[in-house]
């Protein structure tokens, strides 16, 4: 399994296993920032096995030991790897609603995956865990010579979302509020709130946006995500059947990965 890294700034890199299946964390991005007191990770992938691959890559790239992890939301491709860093001494920080959703859903999801032959090995040592620190609106993280700030912009992709701002780098890690080249998972989304949250994110005083999945970019990737929601809402409203909506969504975004996420759009957007 090949983990690739791309440096957004000298001290901030994004790691991903690429692809769009559960075995590669659905291509989720893990952001790493090296502070003088340790490394902060955002969303270290779907399983302890992936966390270990990440830890090796971080050491190889010269990152100091991981002292803090921020979870942008409770979905397992962003959270279950953090259990491994937690058991190796890192503080795990999440919005209070993210922590609640983790405690409600993770144990049964892990059990289900362990009972699935193709997934059993990957989840053999995955364990449910609770974040060590939770917050409501803003959480400021002191990294010695720099800070990071986890901010809840309101419900969006899930009720317990946060984004992580790195002021010294001019970078924000957006979690799944922004997916670039991947279909959006509407399963737990607040459809009414999404446009305002994305508008707020677009106004962030940064040059670089790291999406939950796909390549990083400028403000245009946030605009593109807002356009995606408008296009899908239009398709869902006008389609005569789920099949027609499905085909129209595929035709509108032919290069997008994570096709199964289209089903969440059909369930949530068609009335
Ligand atoms: Zn998600």
């Amino acid at each position: 399994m090949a983990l690739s890294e791309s440096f957004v700034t000298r001290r901030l890199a994004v790691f991903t296993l690429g692809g769009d299946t559960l075995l590669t964390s659905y291509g989720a991005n893990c952001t790493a920032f090296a502070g003088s007191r340790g490394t902060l990770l955002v969303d270290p992938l779907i399983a302890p096995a992936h966390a270990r691959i990440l830890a090796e890559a971080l050491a190889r790239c010269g990152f100091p030991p991981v002292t803090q992890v921020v979870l942008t939301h409770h979905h397992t491709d962003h959270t279950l790897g953090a259990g491994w860093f937690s058991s190796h001494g890192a503080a795990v920080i999440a919005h209070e609603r993210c922590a609640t959703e983790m405690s409600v859903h993770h144990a049964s999801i892990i059990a289900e995956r362990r009972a699935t032959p193709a997934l059993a090995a990957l989840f053999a040592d995955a364990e449910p865990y609770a974040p060590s620190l939770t917050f409501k609106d803003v959480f400021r993280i002191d990294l010695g010579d720099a800070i990071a700030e986890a901010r809840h912009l309101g419900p969006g992709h899930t009720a317990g979302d946060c984004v992580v701002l790195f002021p010294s780098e001019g970078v924000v890690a957006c979690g799944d509020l922004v997916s670039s080249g991947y279909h959006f998972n509407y399963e737990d989304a607040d459809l009414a709130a999404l446009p305002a949250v994305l508008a707020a994110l677009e106004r962030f005083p940064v040059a670089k946006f790291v999406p939950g999945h796909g390549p990083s970019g400028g403000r245009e990737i946030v605009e593109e995500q807002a356009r995606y929601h408008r296009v899908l809402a239009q398709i869902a409203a006008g389609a005569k059947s789920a099949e027609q909506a499905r085909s129209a969504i595929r035709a509108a975004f032919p290069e997008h990965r994570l096709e199964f996420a289209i089903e969440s759009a059909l369930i949530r957007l068609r009335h």
Side-chain angles (χ1 to χ4, degrees):
M1 205 176 318
L3 185 75
S4 70
E5 77 253 4
S6 60
F7 277 81
V8 178
T9 68
R10 195 175 54 81
R11 301 164 69 183
L12 188 145
V14 179
F15 295 83
T16 180
L17 290 165
D20 62 355
T21 72
L22 205 151
L23 296 174
T24 60
S25 293
Y26 299 116
N29 288 326
C30 170
T31 300
F33 175 68
S36 61
R37 289 199 189 140
T39 293
L40 168 68
L41 292 185
V42 181
D43 291 352
L45 308 181
I46 205 166
H50 290 181
R52 286 190 288 272
I53 296 171
L54 259 172
E56 283 164 22
L58 288 165
R60 200 170 55 239
C61 293
F63 280 87
V66 175
T67 46
Q68 283 111 337
V69 177
V70 180
L71 309 175
T72 62
H73 64 295
H74 72 279
H75 289 158
T76 60
D77 49 337
H78 298 257
T79 49
L80 290 183
W84 187 85
F85 287 102
S86 173
S87 66
H88 286 73
V92 179
I93 300 151
H95 186 265
E96 58 185 22
R97 283 295 302 270
C98 172
T100 306
E101 297 296 315
M102 287 168 69
S103 72
V104 172
H105 298 293
H106 281 187
S108 59
I109 292 173
I110 291 169
E112 197 179 297
R113 289 177 184 168
R114 278 192 191 155
T116 305
L119 304 176
L122 182 56
F123 291 94
D125 61 347
E127 295 293 344
Y129 68 94
S132 36
L133 294 159
T134 60
F135 67 96
K136 239 189 198 355
D137 298 314
V138 180
F139 192 92
R140 197 180 148 98
I141 302 151
D142 183 355
L143 296 160
D145 57 351
I147 63 134
E149 224 172 62
R151 288 194 197 172
H152 175 61
L153 304 177
H157 177 63
T158 68
D161 287 351
C162 75
V163 299
V164 186
L165 176 65
F166 298 93
S168 63
E169 311 304 299
V171 175
V172 62
C174 309
D176 283 353
L177 276 171
V178 182
S179 273
S180 194
Y182 282 71
H183 286 290
F184 186 90
N185 177 2
Y186 287 96
E187 200 178 0
D188 300 313
D190 186 323
L191 302 175
L194 272 172
V197 170
L198 287 176
L201 191 52
E202 261 184 59
R203 289 194 296 271
F204 267 47
V206 297
K208 277 282 165 72
F209 296 79
V210 181
H213 301 253
S216 304
R219 214 163 302 281
E220 75 283 352
I221 71 169
V222 186
E223 286 163 16
E224 175 58 16
Q225 183 65 76
R227 186 183 79 87
Y228 175 96
H229 293 316
R230 292 194 297 272
V231 170
L232 262 65
Q234 266 166 18
I235 290 173
K240 293 188 176 62
S241 66
E243 187 43 48
Q244 196 187 65
R246 196 178 286 119
S247 319
I249 292 168
R250 283 205 193 108
F253 299 95
E255 307 291 327
H256 272 39
R257 288 171 173 260
L258 215 61
E259 277 218 359
F260 78 85
I262 292 175
E263 301 311 309
S264 72
L266 300 181
I267 292 165
R268 296 294 313 280
L269 299 177
R270 291 182 78 240
H271 306 297

